[in-house]
Each structure stands twice: as structure tokens, then as C-alpha cells.
């Protein structure tokens, strides 16, 4: 965007009015760098977050998040726009070009070549914004003069304080292509891979919504290496095994026992879609994801589930959970073995704290299973979103009680 043009975000004729709560998912169809994509995003997600966190296009940098610095400049329907000021849900049907679409590594766009030749890249943080803003300028104002370049390009702030090389690169490109700058050279149909474990957001050839197709073919792959949290916990329930297994045998009833979890769709072939919520003080995480039952054997009392979920802020969790129920003289022994992998904001918690919280959540789950097994119905008070702070306080109180008992 040049400094003299009307900001794209103010173009009310292009924006789609959307009436939705901030966290309410809205389906958005975009063509990004030539590839059609469909996303199901909360209304509050900006275009920059959608590009970076959901399509894996991290070339779009985010600086001030107020539309001032210009780092997040992309092309929307051929014109420069601040991606941090646009909600993705407003752009249904739009064509977006990011810096990744400008040129290929083996065939850079003339602007990219000129930036390299003239050392206009500098630290590189503002480079994507400058490249897209410069492209917009030369494409829409081919008669721009060298004297006008400083004002025209002032909409992007260079943190290195050195515009001279950038201006030289843009002027050189302008002189080399007096009849018009070449179009972006890396826009073609390809897979857009986000951060959700390789799930493609690309619209299938049949133009069928990805939400339907991808969910039914979801393939949950756990990361390699040690899990973030490993939980092994056993609890005794004074309820007969048959009644406990009846709960484990009913996926919908079982889901009602999971703290903060909600089953949203039965995808067939033992695959399910759902969401889970966790409140961490002022931070509320809402994960959308999938789960697949890979073992369900009443003879051994074993239920094994693989699950994965992603928060709109980029936090991810994956888990391999095995529940084993065994009859005892007093009722049923229920054991849980879970390997949990965390990335993003949720991974900021230490392993010990995350482990304690996971154990507390299992205790809540076990109590809910006991209630459901006894009554044959879903718990009267569905397990709500667990608060990490309350769980933390409970954990600390338990530790203090254990220390007190040892000192007696």
C-alpha cells in the first residue's frame, strides 16, 4: 500500500458483513497464492494469523498489529492490504498473494533479485512488507518517479533506518520494466500445509468442503521422541466392571465425562470430531480436533484413543491414551496411561505442573465415569472446562497435605 492510497481495510464495498461471536467458527474460502483453500476459523482471527498459524505461510510478518508498520502487507484481490487489520472471515472469496507467491527460490521475482543485488534486505523483517508494497506501487502506478518513491514507500517502516538501498532496488526494477512489472511467479495450485500435523487446507479437486472430507480421512500421527507429559494413574471405583465398561462402550456418554470436552461429530470408522476448553487464568484455550479409537476390547477391558487438537492461537496437543478397566472384589480398577505432546502457549507450563494438572483432570474424569456408571446416564453436572489455576491450587494443597503427614 502506498502512502497516498486509501487503505484496503477501509474499502467497505469489498468486505463481507459477518454477524458472529468472537469465538464462533466461520467458514472462509480463499485463494492463496493460486491455491483455493477453505478454513473454519473463529470470527476474531485476523488474515495475518490465518496465513501464519493455519496455512503455514510465515513469510507474512506481524509487527505493530495496528496497521502502522506495514510489515504484514499482502495483496488482496490485487491491491496491498494490512493483513493484521483484516478479519479472515470478511474476505470470503478473496484472492490473496503473500511474499511466498511472489517468486520461487530458483526463479526469484525481479523485485526480489533487485533487493538482493542492492543489499536492500538488511535484517529481513520488513522485507516481505516492502516487497508486496513495492509490487503494488509499480503495478498500480507505473508512472511513479524516483523522487516520489520515498513518500510512496513510507507506508512500510524499515527498522534498520536505511531506506536508501530499498529505494535503489525499487527504482532499478522500475527502470528495468517500464511497461509494467511482471506478475507474481509462484502462484499455482499446491498443498497449503498448516501447523495441524500436516493436514492440508487445500480445497479438493471436486470442490467439496475440506471439513467434510478431511475429517473422515483424518490420520493422527504422534510426534517422534519423548512426550511432554506422561501420566500413569490408577483409581478404584466401587462400581461393578460391567457398569463401568458400559460407559467406556458408549462414546457419547464417555465424552460427557471428559472435563471441558464436547463431541461434535461422529465421522464413522471410529473417528470423531470434538472440541475441548481449558482456562488458564485470563487465557482461555479452545481446541478443535479429532480422536480415533484404535483399540476397544471388552475381554481385556482396554480402550485406546489417539487424539489431536489445535487452538486458534497455535497451541497444539496430541495424545495417546489407554484406559484399562479390571474387575476387583470391591468394584473396578481404572488405569490410565497417557502420553501427551504439547506445543505453543500451552507448552509453557513445566512438565511437573502439566503432569499434576493432567492427573487432576483424570481424577475428575474418573468421578464422572463413576457417576455415569451408577446412574446409567450422563453426569448431571457435565464436567466443565478445567481451570488450570484451580487445578494448580488443588495440587499445591495436596502437596502441602502430604508434607504435613510425613512430618507427623
Amino acid at each position: 500500500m502506498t502512502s497516498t492510497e486509501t487503505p484496503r481495510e477501509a474499502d467497505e464495498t469489498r468486505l463481507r458483513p459477518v454477524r458472529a461471536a468472537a469465538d464462533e467458527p466461520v467458514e472462509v474460502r480463499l485463494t492463496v497464492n493460486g491455491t483455493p483453500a477453505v478454513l473454519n476459523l473463529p470470527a476474531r482471527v485476523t488474515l495475518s494469523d490465518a496465513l501464519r498459524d493455519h496455512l503455514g505461510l510465515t513469510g507474512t510478518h506481524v509487527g505493530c498489529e495496528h496497521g502502522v508498520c506495514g510489515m504484514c502487507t499482502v495483496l488482496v484481490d490485487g491491491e496491498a492490504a494490512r493483513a493484521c487489520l483484516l478479519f479472515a472471515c470478511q474476505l470470503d472469496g478473496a484472492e490473496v498473494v503473500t511474499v511466498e507467491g511472489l517468486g520461487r527460490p530458483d526463479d526469484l521475482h525481479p523485485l526480489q533479485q533487485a533487493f538482493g543485488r542492492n543489499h536492500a534486505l538488511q535484517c529481513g523483517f520488513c522485507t516481505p512488507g516492502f516487497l508486496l508494497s513495492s509490487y503494488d506501487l509499480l503495478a498500480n502506478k507505473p508512472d511513479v518517479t524516483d523522487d516520489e518513491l520515498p513518500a510512496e514507500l513510507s507506508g512500510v517502516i524499515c527498522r534498520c533506518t536505511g531506506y536508501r538501498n530499498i529505494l535503489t532496488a525499487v527504482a532499478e526494477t522500475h527502470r528495468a520494466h517500464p511497461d509494467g512489472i511482471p506478475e507474481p511467479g509462484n502462484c499455482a495450485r499446491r498443498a497449503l500445509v498448516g501447523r495441524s500435523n500436516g493436514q492440508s487446507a487445500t480445497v479438493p479437486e471436486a470442490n467439496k468442503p475440506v471439513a467434510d472430507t478431511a475429517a473422515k480421512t483424518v490420520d493422527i500421527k504422534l510426534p517422534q521422541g519423548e512426550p511432554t507429559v506422561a501420566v500413569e494413574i490408577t483409581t478404584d471405583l466401587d462400581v461393578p466392571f460391567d457398569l463401568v465398561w458400559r460407559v467406556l462402550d458408549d462414546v457419547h456418554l464417555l465424552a460427557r465425562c471428559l472435563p471441558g470436552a464436547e463431541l461434535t461429530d461422529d465421522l464413522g470408522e471410529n473417528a470423531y470430531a470434538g472440541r475441548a476448553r481449558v482456562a488458564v487464568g485470563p487465557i482461555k484455550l479452545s481446541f478443535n480436533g479429532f480422536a480415533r479409537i484404535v483399540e476397544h476390547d471388552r475381554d481385556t477391558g482396554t480402550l485406546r484413543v489417539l487424539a489431536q487438537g489445535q487452538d486458534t492461537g497455535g497451541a497444539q496437543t496430541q495424545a495417546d491414551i489407554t484406559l484399562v478397566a479390571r474387575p476387583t472384589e470391591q468394584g473396578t480398577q481404572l488405569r490410565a496411561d497417557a502420553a501427551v505432546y504439547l506445543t505453543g502457549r500451552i507448552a509453557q507450563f513445566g512438565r511437573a505442573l502439566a503432569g499434576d494438572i493432567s492427573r487432576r483432570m483424570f481424577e475428575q474424569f474418573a468421578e464422572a465415569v463413576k457417576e455415569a456408571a451408577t446412574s446409567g446416564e450422563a453426569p448431571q453436572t457435565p464436567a466443565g472446562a478445567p481451570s488450570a489455576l484451580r487445578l494448580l491450587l488443588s495440587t499445591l494443597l495436596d502437596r502441602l497435605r502430604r508434607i504435613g503427614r510425613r512430618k507427623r
Side-chain angles (χ1 to χ4, degrees):
M1 181 179 65
T2 65
S3 60
T4 58
E5 293 176 334
T6 302
R8 179 68 185 179
E9 54 272 14
D11 184 357
E12 297 181 355
T13 62
R14 175 62 185 83
L15 302 181
R16 179 183 66 153
V18 175
R19 183 181 296 275
D23 289 324
E24 182 178 344
V26 177
E27 184 177 282
V28 183
R29 290 174 175 268
L30 301 170
T31 299
V32 183
N33 297 334
T35 300
V38 60
L39 298 168
N40 199 29
L41 302 171
R44 61 181 170 83
V45 175
T46 63
L47 176 60
S48 57
D49 286 343
L51 294 171
R52 290 178 56 86
D53 297 335
H54 297 273
L55 295 178
L57 298 171
T58 55
T60 300
H61 292 171
V62 179
C64 67
E65 297 187 80
H66 288 79
V68 176
C69 72
M71 306 298 169
C72 64
T73 300
V74 297
L75 302 179
V76 176
D77 290 341
E79 297 184 16
R82 304 288 205 239
C84 75
L85 292 185
L86 293 169
F87 292 113
C89 65
Q90 296 174 289
L91 301 175
D92 192 42
E95 293 189 8
V96 179
V97 176
T98 70
V99 70
E100 288 92 344
L102 194 57
R104 299 196 307 271
D106 59 346
D107 186 16
L108 295 175
H109 189 273
L111 265 174
Q112 294 171 307
Q113 296 176 21
F115 269 58
R117 280 194 303 272
N118 293 282
H119 188 51
L121 302 170
Q122 304 190 97
C123 82
F125 190 80
C126 69
T127 302
F130 259 117
L131 287 170
L132 273 302
S133 185
S134 301
Y135 177 88
D136 173 73
L137 172 65
L138 299 183
N140 294 298
K141 193 175 182 180
D143 57 346
V144 66
T145 65
D146 289 358
D147 292 339
E148 294 173 326
L149 286 181
E152 294 288 356
L153 294 176
S154 62
V156 181
I157 297 174
C158 172
R159 294 186 172 186
C160 300
T161 71
Y163 282 78
R164 184 176 299 279
N165 294 345
I166 296 170
L167 298 176
T168 301
V170 175
E172 182 181 289
T173 306
H174 187 214
R175 287 192 294 273
H177 300 278
D179 298 328
I181 190 171
E183 295 184 350
N186 195 29
C187 292
R189 193 183 185 94
R190 61 175 65 79
L192 294 173
V193 179
R195 296 181 173 179
S196 182
N197 308 303
Q199 287 183 35
S200 173
T202 307
V203 175
E205 291 294 340
N207 205 33
K208 188 175 183 179
V210 148
D212 293 341
T213 304
K216 294 180 185 305
T217 58
V218 60
D219 184 18
I220 301 173
K221 295 182 178 179
L222 300 178
Q224 299 292 323
E226 293 293 322
T228 310
V229 179
V231 177
E232 296 181 11
I233 186 169
T234 302
T235 188
D236 292 315
L237 307 177
D238 55 351
V239 180
F241 170 81
D242 287 344
L243 296 182
V244 172
W245 186 257
R246 188 174 62 184
V247 177
L248 302 185
D249 206 26
D250 185 336
V251 175
H252 295 272
L253 182 58
L254 184 66
R256 295 289 302 276
C257 299
L258 295 169
E262 180 184 4
L263 196 65
T264 58
D265 198 5
D266 184 341
L267 306 174
E269 299 180 356
N270 294 321
Y272 303 88
R275 49 177 169 257
R277 303 183 306 279
V278 178
V280 188
I283 301 174
K284 291 181 172 59
L285 302 174
S286 180
F287 293 91
N288 291 310
F290 305 99
R292 182 181 293 280
I293 297 176
V294 295
E295 184 176 357
H296 187 202
D297 187 347
R298 189 184 190 287
D299 292 338
T300 61
T302 302
L303 176 67
R304 183 181 173 214
V305 179
L306 301 181
Q308 68 182 29
Q310 182 175 19
D311 177 71
T312 56
Q316 295 183 42
T317 180
Q318 294 163 279
D320 182 350
I321 305 169
T322 301
L323 296 173
V324 179
R326 299 189 187 284
T328 64
E329 292 183 358
Q330 290 75 32
T332 303
Q333 183 185 76
L334 186 62
R335 172 176 174 172
D337 292 290
V340 183
Y341 302 83
L342 304 174
T343 57
R345 289 183 296 171
I346 197 171
Q348 297 174 2
F349 298 102
R351 289 174 180 265
L353 175 58
D356 286 340
I357 291 173
S358 298
R359 292 183 186 89
R360 278 291 177 181
M361 292 176 66
F362 176 76
E363 291 172 2
Q364 290 183 2
F365 166 72
E367 284 298 318
V369 169
K370 177 181 175 180
E371 181 181 346
T374 303
S375 66
E377 299 177 352
Q380 293 297 315
T381 305
S387 163
L389 291 182
R390 290 199 297 272
L391 293 170
L392 173 60
L393 290 175
S394 300
T395 300
L396 293 176
L397 287 174
D398 277 354
R399 289 185 177 182
L400 291 174
R401 291 191 189 101
R402 288 197 295 270
I403 293 173
R405 285 195 292 270
R406 285 198 295 268
K407 290 184 176 180
R408 291 174 187 169

